[in-house]
Amino acid sequence: MNVLNKSINYGDTVYARLTVYGETIAEIRKNDASTVEEVIARLRAAATKYTGLTKIYIRNMTQGWAVQFPLLLVKSILQFKSREQLVAEGYCEPNGQLIIQF
């Protein structure tokens, strides 16, 4: 994900938070992240039970920038059923490719 051409280098002091309806769900204050994608993945991993529109705020204190953007969290159908169940019900191919009905 290219977040406004911002970068994080290993060792940068980073503060990040994920909020849902104004409530902070996950927060990171570390300097061991090496990419923006890694920070986003950590926030998402901490908010697995939430779905809906969220807001992510990331601040790189070392480089002096901050960015805020929306992120839609959704649960995959694969989290609830096995591939075999989905194939039997006609939701996906045996290789795991989901079938989209029009």
PDB file of all heavy atoms in Angstrom, residues 36 66 100:
ATOM      1  N   VAL A  36       5.249   0.672   6.077  1.00  0.00           N
ATOM      2  CA  VAL A  36       3.897   1.109   6.415  1.00  0.00           C
ATOM      3  C   VAL A  36       2.960  -0.097   6.414  1.00  0.00           C
ATOM      4  O   VAL A  36       2.089  -0.223   7.272  1.00  0.00           O
ATOM      5  CB  VAL A  36       3.417   2.190   5.425  1.00  0.00           C
ATOM      6  CG1 VAL A  36       1.956   2.511   5.646  1.00  0.00           C
ATOM      7  CG2 VAL A  36       4.262   3.439   5.541  1.00  0.00           C
ATOM      8  N   ALA A  66       2.939  12.626   9.314  1.00  0.00           N
ATOM      9  CA  ALA A  66       1.776  11.901   9.836  1.00  0.00           C
ATOM     10  C   ALA A  66       0.758  11.779   8.714  1.00  0.00           C
ATOM     11  O   ALA A  66       0.676  12.644   7.840  1.00  0.00           O
ATOM     12  CB  ALA A  66       1.162  12.621  11.026  1.00  0.00           C
ATOM     13  N   ILE A 100     -18.487 -15.537  -7.859  1.00  0.00           N
ATOM     14  CA  ILE A 100     -19.286 -14.331  -7.648  1.00  0.00           C
ATOM     15  C   ILE A 100     -20.550 -14.437  -8.494  1.00  0.00           C
ATOM     16  O   ILE A 100     -20.467 -14.570  -9.704  1.00  0.00           O
ATOM     17  CB  ILE A 100     -18.490 -13.068  -8.014  1.00  0.00           C
ATOM     18  CG1 ILE A 100     -17.251 -12.978  -7.121  1.00  0.00           C
ATOM     19  CG2 ILE A 100     -19.373 -11.820  -7.855  1.00  0.00           C
ATOM     20  CD1 ILE A 100     -16.318 -11.872  -7.493  1.00  0.00           C
TER      21      ILE A 100
END
